[in-house]
C-alpha cells in the first residue's frame, strides 16, 4: 500500500498495525515514495548469559576497614 504523507498523519496508528501484520506500507510525498514502514525485529532476552563468565568475590559487600572508619566517625 502506498499512501500520501498528509493522509498518513491521520492514519498512522492504522498504518503501523498494517505493517505489524506484514503488509508493506510506503509513505510518499508528491507521488514519490519516501519511506517504508516495517516492524522492528523482536530481540529475545537470554537469561544466564553471564553465568560462569563473571566471578564475584566472597567479600564483595564487606566494607574495607579504612573506609568503615569514616562512616563510624573514627577517622578524621
Amino acid at each position: 500500500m502506498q499512501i500520501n504523507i498528509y493522509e498518513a498523519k491521520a492514519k498512522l496508528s492504522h498504518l503501523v498495525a498494517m505493517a505489524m501484520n506484514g503488509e508493506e506500507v510506503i509513505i510518499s510525498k508528491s507521488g514519490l515514495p519516501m519511506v517504508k514502514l516495517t516492524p522492528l525485529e523482536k530481540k529475545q532476552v537470554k537469561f544466564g548469559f553471564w553465568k560462569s563468565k563473571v566471578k564475584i568475590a566472597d567479600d564483595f559487600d564487606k566494607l574495607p576497614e579504612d573506609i568503615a572508619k569514616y562512616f563510624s566517625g573514627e577517622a578524621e
Side-chain angles (χ1 to χ4, degrees), residues 3-39:
I3 187 168
N4 185 285
I5 193 166
Y6 298 107
E7 189 181 350
K9 286 181 186 181
K11 298 181 178 182
L12 184 59
S13 295
H14 178 68
L15 297 173
V16 169
M18 290 172 64
M20 293 299 295
N21 287 325
E23 189 168 336
E24 184 177 74
V25 178
I26 298 174
I27 300 175
S28 61
K29 184 175 182 180
S30 300
L32 298 172
M34 303 298 284
V35 296
K36 179 169 63 171
L37 289 178
T38 58

Side-chain angles (χ1 to χ4, degrees), residues 62-76:
K62 185 176 186 283
L63 195 58
E65 287 182 33
D66 57 333
I67 295 175
K69 289 180 183 179
Y70 286 99
F71 283 100
S72 66
E74 295 176 30
E76 294 179 10

Side-chain angles (χ1 to χ4, degrees), residues 29-73:
K29 184 175 182 180
S30 300
L32 298 172
M34 303 298 284
V35 296
K36 179 169 63 171
L37 289 178
T38 58
L40 294 174
E41 293 181 27
K42 293 181 181 178
K43 293 185 179 183
Q44 291 188 355
V45 177
K46 294 181 181 179
F47 291 102
F49 178 77
W50 289 101
K51 188 175 183 177
S52 76
K53 295 181 181 180
V54 176
K55 180 169 178 3
I56 298 175
D58 293 333
D59 63 347
F60 173 78
D61 57 354
K62 185 176 186 283
L63 195 58
E65 287 182 33
D66 57 333
I67 295 175
K69 289 180 183 179
Y70 286 99
F71 283 100
S72 66

